[in-house]
Amino acid sequence: MADDTVTIAVASPFTGPAAAYGDNIKAGVSMKVAEINEAGGINGKQVEVEWMDEKCDPREAATVAPKIAQNKDIVGVVGHLCSSAHLAALPTYTRAGVPAISPTATNVTISEKNTDRRGRVWGFRNVYRDDFQGQFLANYVKDVLGLEKIAVFHENNDYGIGLKDAFMGEAEKIDLDIVGVEAYIKGAQDFTPQLTKLKNENPDGLFIAGYYGEGALIASQANMLGLDVVKFGADGLDNADYINLADTAANNTYMTVPFLAAAAGPQAQEFIKEFEKEQGRSLDWMSANAYDAAGLLLQAVAEVGEDREEIRDYLISIDSPEEAYEGVTGKTYFNEQGDSQKSAYVKMVKDEEFVPAPKQMN
Amino acid sequence: MLEQQLINGLTLGVIYAMIAVGYTMVYGVIELINFAHGEIFMLGAFFCMTFITVFGVPFYLAIFLAMCCCAVCGVLLDIIAYRPLRNSPRLAALITAIGMSIFLQNLALMIWGSRPRPFPKDALPEFFSQTALTFGDVKLTWLQLFIFAVTIAMMVGLNLIITKTKAGTAMRALAQNKQAAALMGINVNRIISFTFILGSSMGAVAGVLVSVFYNTMYPMMGYTAGVKAFAAAVLGGIGSVPGAMIGGVILGVAEALGAGYVSSLYRDGVAYAIMIAVILFRPSGILGRLVGDKA
């Protein structure tokens, strides 16, 4: 078995409340793997994927990680999707020496927890960090959108809290007024009490630090209560379903994304078309990042073979724009903490469609 | 702001009440906590959506068809999972209920996929999204009025069925003493099926209303709704139908006020704190009778 295949693991939520996000990852990785296999595989070996479901739950992730570590056929991991799950799995990966590339986990603390005792990085990510996103957003809404009074909604997990903290820290520095902060848990459906409370403060901007499922509900319920404000958030909002679910209430929402189809290069445009044909929906950044994360991991295998340690060494050696991996999301290379240096783009919803924001801030 | 919060809470509360009624009826009759009831609620939403999008059925008819489908599911659930365990220890049935809940969630995941779906809006009557009443700052939409009206109509209908029909009388007899009821010539299994039909079809309506109100449905939506409805049933006195209605409304309002005035993170906490307080000081719930009565 192991002799004629290369096996990678993909750890993400495939069931549970976050299953829809896991599907984005699955779509991206599947397309990369199919592409490689059709071209003859890696050194003549076909690539196989072990899909590991962790429900975006830290406990499940901590159970899945040892399974991956013990299966010696697995050369590395694409995942995890959620920051909380990624943080829970990292101790196992660093102890057992499993290279992991998260396409989506943006939490700040990951940068410190991804090294083993000798200080070698095992956890990589080809996405920016929340502190960058949060600070970026604070500056963007103040300078570009001219907002003054912001109400904050955040999901009560590592992603939402990290984003909120970075945003509020920066807001204080640049004199952006925060008029209320509300938290919610994943899967919550009713936000009317919190929105009613925030409405009394007359905000002109609503920051949604969470994912699109709940974000769409917040937007549409704000609309229902007559709270007509500019909505904005980070990459968690970026999915066609945000518009499907919130409908006209989605209009006037701004979001930072690591990947903007309209701003992508010619190689990416081809992939975007291919993706639309195969998946029947427009490309989201999660799938694009997952496609590149799998590509990066498999390029490492192609270069140095199936030894986990050598794959790690190879990945950390990609440390400058000259050596960067050229994927659909642009150039990916890592700093000494395993974090990639990516800029943020701003998208907005206009007439129930995603369009690039008229003004970028790069 | 208080008025708006009360309306927010009432809308949520009447929906909890509808789900809680299904729980409590099944418990009243066979003393089983039917954890799969939340999934029946979820299936109601998905059936309705499927009838509209795949078969092009109009909205009101789709609700009725979803009720029928869920009634069938409820009866099948009983026949397949609970009837064989009718005389086993209660714990066995409880575990089976949890198993069925997980099974149905994953079945829905396989059939409809994991992505959250909007409710097919084109099928909805035009006036739903319009504001019906405004007092000062407070807005009430036609949809909210529709939800109140449907809930009240269903509750009244249910009460009539339970108190005025033969099957309803048999249900109440069964709730008091299964053996004695059987000796009086009541077909126990048929009445239990009837209970599942009533509870499941109300759950289906609740599922449709929730997915219309929030414009979203996903396979896992039954879980939280189920837990909340369970709390509402306990609050009102498990086994008592009017209790479940009152419990649901109290829970919804308490949640809205808790989230609005205390902290949004404590909204579930407020709900459960009330439930725990009731269990501590009035174990039978607001309108329940002590289980000991039954022995």
Side-chain angles (χ1 to χ4, degrees):
Chain A
M1 280 276 289
D3 296 336
D4 48 18
T5 55
V6 172
T7 312
I8 62 168
V10 176
S12 275
F14 299 119
T15 64
Y21 314 124
D23 272 0
N24 298 336
I25 304 296
K26 199 173 204 166
V29 174
S30 303
M31 283 190 63
K32 186 66 185 181
V33 168
E35 186 185 295
I36 289 176
N37 283 343
E38 270 163 35
I42 295 175
N43 305 327
K45 294 180 177 186
Q46 289 286 297
V47 179
E48 265 186 21
V49 183
E50 289 264 0
W51 306 100
M52 306 298 247
D53 181 19
E54 33 84 322
K55 304 184 175 65
C56 184
D57 178 344
R59 280 164 303 180
E60 299 270 350
T63 323
V64 160
K67 266 195 223 163
I68 294 173
Q70 278 156 25
N71 185 346
K72 294 294 175 206
D73 290 343
I74 293 175
V75 296
V77 184
V78 172
H80 295 228
L81 189 149
C82 300
S83 290
S84 309
H86 195 60
L87 280 166
L90 272 176
T92 309
Y93 297 150
T94 56
R95 217 176 306 125
V98 184
I101 307 177
S102 172
T104 50
T106 45
N107 187 265
V108 176
T109 46
I110 290 170
S111 306
E112 292 113 50
K113 301 204 167 138
N114 58 4
T115 49
D116 63 10
R117 251 187 262 165
R118 289 166 51 196
R120 296 183 306 172
V121 172
W122 288 93
F124 299 85
R125 48 183 163 174
N126 63 336
V127 65
Y128 46 54
R129 303 187 345 164
D130 289 333
D131 51 353
F132 172 76
Q133 271 200 103
Q135 288 162 8
F136 181 95
L137 268 172
N139 286 306
Y140 187 85
V141 297
K142 182 163 199 273
D143 297 343
V144 179
L145 303 180
L147 302 181
E148 282 161 7
K149 291 166 82 178
I150 309 294
V152 178
F153 256 98
H154 71 92
E155 183 165 332
N156 200 35
N157 64 4
D158 290 329
Y159 175 69
I161 293 171
L163 212 51
K164 174 207 65 162
D165 286 346
F167 179 83
M168 289 180 59
E170 188 72 11
E172 198 172 330
K173 273 188 229 156
I174 60 173
D175 281 330
L176 192 59
D177 197 11
I178 308 281
V179 296
V181 182
E182 298 290 329
Y184 61 87
I185 52 169
K186 183 166 278 318
Q189 282 208 314
D190 182 57
F191 300 92
T192 47
Q194 297 98 307
L195 286 164
T196 304
K197 189 160 114 188
L198 290 174
K199 194 184 162 193
N200 273 17
E201 308 289 337
N202 282 320
D204 55 9
L206 191 61
F207 178 30
I208 304 169
Y211 298 95
Y212 58 80
E214 291 83 5
L217 292 173
I218 293 172
S220 59
Q221 287 169 29
N223 199 41
M224 194 185 79
L225 292 171
L227 187 63
D228 191 17
V229 294
V230 175
K231 280 107 13 194
F232 60 93
D235 46 22
L237 291 184
D238 178 26
N239 193 289
D241 283 336
Y242 177 75
I243 302 177
N244 287 342
L245 297 172
D247 202 46
T248 49
N251 288 335
N252 224 4
T253 305
Y254 292 79
M255 62 197 75
T256 47
V257 284
F259 170 70
L260 195 61
Q267 181 207 358
Q269 297 303 340
E270 209 160 285
F271 171 68
I272 292 166
K273 266 190 225 125
E274 185 81 0
F275 187 93
E276 277 167 7
K277 206 171 74 195
E278 213 156 290
Q279 305 291 331
R281 61 185 160 95
S282 54
L283 176 65
D284 57 292
W285 72 270
M286 284 188 178
S287 302
N289 273 21
Y291 177 84
D292 276 357
L296 198 54
L297 183 62
L298 290 166
Q299 174 175 302
V301 177
E303 291 287 328
V304 297
E306 294 180 43
D307 185 75
R308 288 173 176 178
E309 202 163 333
E310 281 177 34
I311 291 172
R312 184 216 84 89
D313 292 343
Y314 176 82
L315 290 174
I316 200 74
S317 75
I318 305 178
D319 59 359
S320 66
E322 292 76 49
E323 285 166 75
Y325 173 81
E326 296 263 7
V328 293
T329 61
K331 289 180 187 237
T332 303
Y333 56 98
F334 302 106
N335 65 7
E336 65 279 10
Q337 289 170 312
D339 294 329
S340 71
Q341 314 293 308
K342 295 216 166 166
S343 53
Y345 299 92
V346 182
K347 264 166 81 153
M348 70 173 297
V349 185
K350 200 177 172 187
D351 301 329
E352 292 100 71
E353 297 266 2
F354 280 124
V355 294
K359 224 175 139 200
Q360 300 291 332
M361 201 178 69
N362 283 319
Chain B
M1 178 162 116
L2 179 67
E3 297 85 352
Q4 183 71 57
Q5 295 292 22
L6 284 176
I7 288 173
N8 298 339
L10 273 177
T11 317
L12 201 63
V14 293
I15 291 170
Y16 285 161
M18 276 229 265
I19 318 172
V21 165
Y23 257 103
T24 227
M25 282 201 303
V26 167
Y27 184 85
V29 173
I30 54 174
E31 289 183 19
L32 166 77
I33 303 282
N34 180 13
F35 273 117
H37 189 63
E39 274 57 50
I40 298 284
F41 153 89
M42 172 271 294
L43 286 176
F46 274 99
F47 282 138
C48 184
M49 183 268 295
T50 309
F51 280 120
I52 290 173
T53 54
V54 179
F55 303 106
V57 173
F59 177 63
Y60 298 108
L61 181 61
I63 296 188
F64 177 71
L65 291 174
M67 284 171 75
C68 297
C69 288
C70 282
V72 171
C73 288
V75 172
L76 285 179
L77 185 68
D78 176 50
I79 293 175
I80 295 168
Y82 304 146
R83 192 174 289 180
L85 295 169
R86 201 80 89 207
N87 297 314
S88 319
R90 223 179 287 166
L91 194 60
L94 186 71
I95 292 167
T96 314
I98 296 172
M100 286 312 288
S101 156
I102 296 170
F103 169 75
L104 289 174
Q105 270 178 21
N106 286 291
L107 189 69
L109 202 64
M110 278 168 64
I111 299 175
W112 286 289
S114 60
R115 295 172 59 202
R117 283 163 182 263
F119 196 86
K121 220 175 349 338
D122 300 342
L124 292 178
E126 191 77 29
F127 65 91
F128 265 21
S129 54
Q130 287 158 13
T131 308
L133 299 166
T134 34
F135 342 81
D137 242 4
V138 183
K139 285 206 311 186
L140 199 60
T141 61
W142 279 108
L143 175 60
Q144 277 169 315
L145 286 184
F146 179 75
I147 292 176
F148 293 141
V150 169
T151 321
I152 292 167
M154 295 214 64
M155 296 291 186
V156 171
L158 180 71
N159 257 326
L160 287 179
I161 291 175
I162 292 178
T163 52
K164 299 281 193 264
T165 66
K166 230 172 175 180
T169 313
M171 252 173 78
R172 285 182 292 143
L174 215 65
Q176 285 198 350
N177 190 323
K178 219 189 296 175
Q179 265 107 16
L183 289 174
M184 294 296 123
I186 290 174
N187 185 335
V188 173
N189 278 336
R190 192 182 296 165
I191 294 302
I192 292 174
S193 293
F194 181 66
T195 312
F196 271 92
I197 288 175
L198 287 181
S200 301
S201 45
M202 287 194 79
V205 175
V208 175
L209 293 180
V210 164
S211 56
V212 171
F213 188 60
Y214 295 131
N215 191 32
T216 179
M217 63 181 90
Y218 52 98
M220 305 294 149
M221 69 192 265
Y223 175 75
T224 343
V227 172
K228 288 285 171 57
F230 173 58
V234 170
L235 183 61
I238 193 145
S240 155
V241 172
M245 299 177 194
I246 294 173
V249 172
I250 292 178
L251 197 73
V253 172
E255 257 191 47
L257 296 184
Y261 291 102
V262 190
S263 156
S264 44
L265 260 195
Y266 296 149
R267 65 176 305 157
D268 293 355
V270 171
Y272 294 126
I274 291 178
M275 187 177 92
I276 291 168
V278 168
I279 292 174
L280 281 178
F281 298 109
R282 193 176 155 77
S284 55
I286 297 170
L287 290 184
R289 44 203 166 125
L290 284 172
V291 181
D293 283 353
K294 275 192 159 179

